[in-house]
């Protein structure tokens, strides 16, 4: 069941735009793909066509040795685990299948043991007695499965008595794999497309413009008035960066935002960019800091070019986290001439001041909210989505546990985009989530994250549950009052 | 035999102190100087970061929420360990006696306290230590991540606790003697205490002290760094 079909490129790819663009030609609906077809045995090859034989062992040991000089998280994580096993009890993957390879501390030990061998006195002297061991030939091939079976959800860190965040070690493992060209194809493709086209779907300018027009028409149908979605407006106050694929496949999220701005009379104060309409950044998931920064920089430049005062982030957990917790405090691009605000913070505040009104009867079905790990645990955006959901829906229910303690959807860390591990995601990593959602009896699960949405949609299909999955502003879009009236529409199934 | 006891009680202590101090300073210094770009804050993170770290150090609240059974044993084990540590100050100096007497406890009272509290602590420590060891062996998720050093740290502690208990409940030992020994060490004119069990106990303790900076027991220092990273606002 956990068999993986992870195949590395024959050659170490330079970012070959052409090839990347062809990978999903014209495919603007990747979220509708039918996955899980090719579950063949593990085939992982090291790059073969190198001119010089590569010293893989040396590279791995070197990369691990570099931890000695930081960052501090990694270094202290190498030296303070007490092996108490608590992380295993709290990990969605180990919950789904309690075998050793999914035990967080065991996975982290793949790197820790090599670190000890080469960088600690006890490891050099006593070896196996202190859990130190040397790198084994071709071992990285197995690492692909190991490091791509952690969802990076950080739930382990919440309960670890030492506060060890195993996802940091996972990311280091992935970074090593990435350097060796061993990032799984499915993941690599997303990164390449994203760097090439500026969005993870590889959508063109035309597709984007058509989608925007379509959304404006929808809103005209719903409300009988023109509600604009401004594009490329210089001097706009808010530069809206939506999550991956939202404009194209989750239309209501964008209409929800547009309606909020309209009601607040800020219709002319915000804008989207026709070049940059996908906040997703897979560099976080491949562990490659360079591509993470390369993917991030254009947004900063664009915000500056537009002269925006607010970088207005959409319902995308990891995009917001990178901006708010990594880029800004890490001063990647120096001091910023704008603020970084999440759309849910913004909307929730306007609800609390009474500026937005709703007709809750438009959303009568029981709904629940799934806290995306990157919003909840990593950014503390937990009350805002609830304020929006409670205001716009009649029957809001919590799942338990929730907020910072919520279980991962099972698709975190970029796994949700990997169709080669579909079965694994449906039966193992998503097992706990499925139980949680079932317990609420909700008919709609909102998740402020495109990765979560994809994973949850597939979970519901796979487990034959009649539960719709969408965003937070989607619910708002259906019930917000514009000139005293909510959208005139009943059927949202298509 | 005499030269062996002299090594254990007259030489090893100095070695232990030097290795321990150098090892600790080195570990803390390297952790301290390693840079940390970006934030790792894990939410909810209420209150002050320092408060959060201290709470984790004294009460293990994360473990409490994560694994209550382990929390109970681990907390009792560590709290008793701290108590026994205080008790050892009394074994080697008159400090605790003076403090207690200054607040009006009679010398008989102190002795009674020592034998009930100290005796109970010795038993509790041994029991929880053995339970933790048992857990490590039988519980799949813990066994599969344990290596020799994880067992060794516990076994060494249990051996020290066991010999300590034997001294308390079996062979007699004199406070006057241990205090004289401690004083002799401080004045660099070490003497030997002729008590076999005490010598074994001291030997194991010296091994532990030397072992600490290189072992998982350094978690008592690491926790301040790892917890601070995720509690930072
Ligand atoms: C600030 C001080 C300390 C804190 C916060 C702390 C915390 C913890 C925690 C949370 C655990 C995991 C639970 C467990 O497995 O029992 C643990 C394990 C352990 N601690 Fe400590 N500890 C501290 C000091 C010490 C000291 C000074 C020693 C020994 C001299 C020690 C010895 C151990 C041992 C041997 C284990 C492993 C127990 C096992 O194998 O199950 N700890 N510690
Ligand atoms: S919970 Fe923390 S200390 Fe315990 S085994 Fe897991 S990572 Fe190590
Ligand atoms: S980050 Fe999440 S998936 Fe990864 S080890 Fe921790 S709990 Fe498990």
């Amino acid at each position: 069941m956990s068999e993986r079909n992870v195949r590395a490129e024959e050659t170490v790819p330079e970012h070959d735009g052409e090839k990347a663009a062809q990978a999903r030609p014209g495919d603007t609906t990747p979220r509708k793909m039918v996955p899980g077809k090719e579950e063949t045995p593990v085939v992982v090859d090291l790059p073969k066509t190198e001119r010089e034989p590569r010293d893989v062992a040396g590279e791995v040991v070197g990369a691990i040795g570099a931890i000695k000089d930081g960052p501090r998280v990694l270094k202290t994580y190498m030296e303070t685990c007490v092996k108490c096993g608590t992380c295993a009890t709290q990990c969605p993957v180990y919950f789904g299948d309690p075998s050793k390879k999914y035990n967080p501390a065991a996975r982290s030990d793949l790197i820790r043991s090599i670190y000890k061998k080469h960088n600690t006195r006890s490891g050099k002297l006593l070896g196996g007695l202190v859990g130190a061991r040397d790198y084994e030939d071709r071992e990285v091939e197995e690492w692909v499965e190991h490091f791509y079976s952690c969802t990076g959800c950080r739930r382990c860190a919440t309960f670890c008595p030492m506060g060890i965040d195993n996802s940091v070690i996972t990311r280091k493992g992935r970074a090593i794999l990435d350097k060796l060209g061993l990032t799984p194809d499915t993941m690599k493709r997303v990164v390449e497309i994203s760097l090439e086209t500026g969005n993870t779907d590889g959508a063109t300018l035309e597709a984007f413009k058509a989608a925007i027009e379509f959304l404006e028409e929808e809103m005209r149908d719903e409300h009988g008035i023109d509600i604009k979605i401004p594009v490329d407006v210089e001097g706009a106050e808010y530069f809206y960066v939506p999550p991956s694929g939202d404009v194209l496949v989750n239309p209501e999220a964008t209409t929800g935002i547009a309606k909020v701005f309209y009601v607040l009379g800020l219709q002319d104060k915000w804008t989207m960019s026709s070049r940059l309409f996908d906040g997703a950044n897979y560099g976080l998931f491949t562990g490659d800091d360079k591509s993470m920064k390369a993917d991030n920089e254009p947004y900063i430049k664009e915000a500056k070019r537009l002269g925006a005062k607010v970088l207005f982030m959409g319902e995308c957990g990891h995009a917001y986290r990178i901006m708010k917790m990594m880029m800004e405090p890490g001063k990647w691009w120096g001091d910023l001439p704008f603020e970084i605000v999440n759309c849910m913070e913004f909307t929730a505040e306007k609800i609390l001041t009474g500026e937005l009104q709703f007709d809750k009867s438009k959303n009568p079905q029981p709904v629940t909210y799934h806290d995306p790990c990157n919003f909840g645990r990593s950014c503390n955006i937990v009350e805002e989505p609830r304020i929006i959901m409670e205001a716009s829906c009649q029957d809001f229910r919590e799942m338990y546990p929730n907020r910072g303690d919520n279980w991962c959807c099972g698709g975190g860390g970029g796994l949700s985009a990997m169709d080669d591990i579909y079965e694994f995601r449906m039966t193992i990593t998503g097992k706990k989530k499925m139980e949680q959602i079932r317990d609420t009896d909700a008919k709609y699960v909102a998740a402020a994250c495109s990765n979560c949405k994809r994973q949850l949609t597939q979970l519901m299909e796979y487990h034959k549950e009649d539960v719709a999955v969408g965003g937070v502003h989607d619910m708002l879009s259906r019930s917000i009052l514009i000139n005293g009236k909510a959208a005139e529409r009943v059927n949202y199934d298509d | 035999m005499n030269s062996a006891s002299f090594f254990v009680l007259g030489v090893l202590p100095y070695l232990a102190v030097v290795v321990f101090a150098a090892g600790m300073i080195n570990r803390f210094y390297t952790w301290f100087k390693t840079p940390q770009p970006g934030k790792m804050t894990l939410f909810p993170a209420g209150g002050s970061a320092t408060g959060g770290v201290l709470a984790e150090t004294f009460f293990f609240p994360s473990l409490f929420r994560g694994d209550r059974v382990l929390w109970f044993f681990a907390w009792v084990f560590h709290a008793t360990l701290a108590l026994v540590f205080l008790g050892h100050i009394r074994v080697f100096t008159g400090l605790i006696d003076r403090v207690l007497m200054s607040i009006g406890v009679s010398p008989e009272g102190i002795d009674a306290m020592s034998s009930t509290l100290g005796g109970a602590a010795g038993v509790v420590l041994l029991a929880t230590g053995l339970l933790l060891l048992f857990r490590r062996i039988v519980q799949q998720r813990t066994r599969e991540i344990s290596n020799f050093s994880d067992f060794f740290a516990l076994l060494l502690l249990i051996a020290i606790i066991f010999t300590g208990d034997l001294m308390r409940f079996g062979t007699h030992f004199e406070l006057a003697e241990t205090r004289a020994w401690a004083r002799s060490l401080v004045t660099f004119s070490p003497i030997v205490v002729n008590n076999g069990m005490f010598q074994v106990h001291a030997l194991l303790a010296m091994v532990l002290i030397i072992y600490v900076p290189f072992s998982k027991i350094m978690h008592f220092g690491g926790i301040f760094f790892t917890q601070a990273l995720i509690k930072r606002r």
Side-chain angles (χ1 to χ4, degrees), chain A residues 60-79 111-112 114-124 172 176, chain B residues 26-36 214:
Chain A
V60 172
V61 171
I64 292 174
I67 294 173
K68 218 174 161 43
D69 303 317
R72 187 185 286 174
V73 253
L74 266 176
K75 184 172 168 70
T76 49
Y77 291 177
M78 292 297 113
E79 303 174 19
I111 289 187
R112 199 151 36 212
I114 297 175
Y115 177 86
K116 282 192 173 147
K117 177 78 191 172
H118 293 274
N119 302 286
T120 65
R121 282 184 196 88
S122 53
K124 281 179 199 160
K172 179 71 185 178
I176 292 171
Chain B
N26 177 272
R27 295 291 289 270
F28 274 99
Y29 175 72
T30 52
W31 284 334
F32 190 74
K33 73 160 196 213
T34 323
Q36 177 56 39
F214 307 99

Side-chain angles (χ1 to χ4, degrees), chain A residues 241-291:
Chain A
V241 178
S244 174
D246 247 19
V247 183
L248 302 157
V249 290
N250 303 317
E252 290 177 83
T254 313
T255 59
I257 300 278
K259 291 179 192 181
V260 169
F261 278 118
Y262 180 88
V263 173
L264 295 171
L266 297 172
Q267 155 123 286
D268 302 318
K269 296 264 162 43
W270 71 291
T271 189
M272 291 179 71
S273 163
S274 63
R275 296 190 298 123
L276 298 165
F277 48 88
D278 181 349
N281 189 335
Y282 275 60
L284 179 67
F285 304 142
T286 60
D288 179 14
D289 286 337
K290 250 209 249 123
S291 76

Side-chain angles (χ1 to χ4, degrees), chain A residues 80-88 103-105 108 112 156 159-166, chain B residues 145:
Chain A
T80 33
C81 173
V82 287
K83 304 289 179 62
C84 66
T86 308
C87 45
N103 192 321
S108 294
R112 199 151 36 212
C156 45
F159 298 94
C160 165
M162 298 290 130
I164 292 175
D165 178 353
N166 288 287
Chain B
I145 54 173

Side-chain angles (χ1 to χ4, degrees), chain A residues 82 161, chain B residues 57 60 74 78 81 136 154 157 216-217 219-220 223:
Chain A
V82 287
Chain B
T57 308
F60 310 177
H78 282 84
L81 206 59
R136 193 166 284 289
L154 257 182
L157 273 173
K216 72 180 284 192
I217 294 174
H219 65 271
F220 80 85
I223 191 173

Side-chain angles (χ1 to χ4, degrees), chain B residues 105-114:
Chain B
V105 187
S106 67
E108 296 76 36
I110 296 176
D111 277 343
M113 228 164 94
S114 160

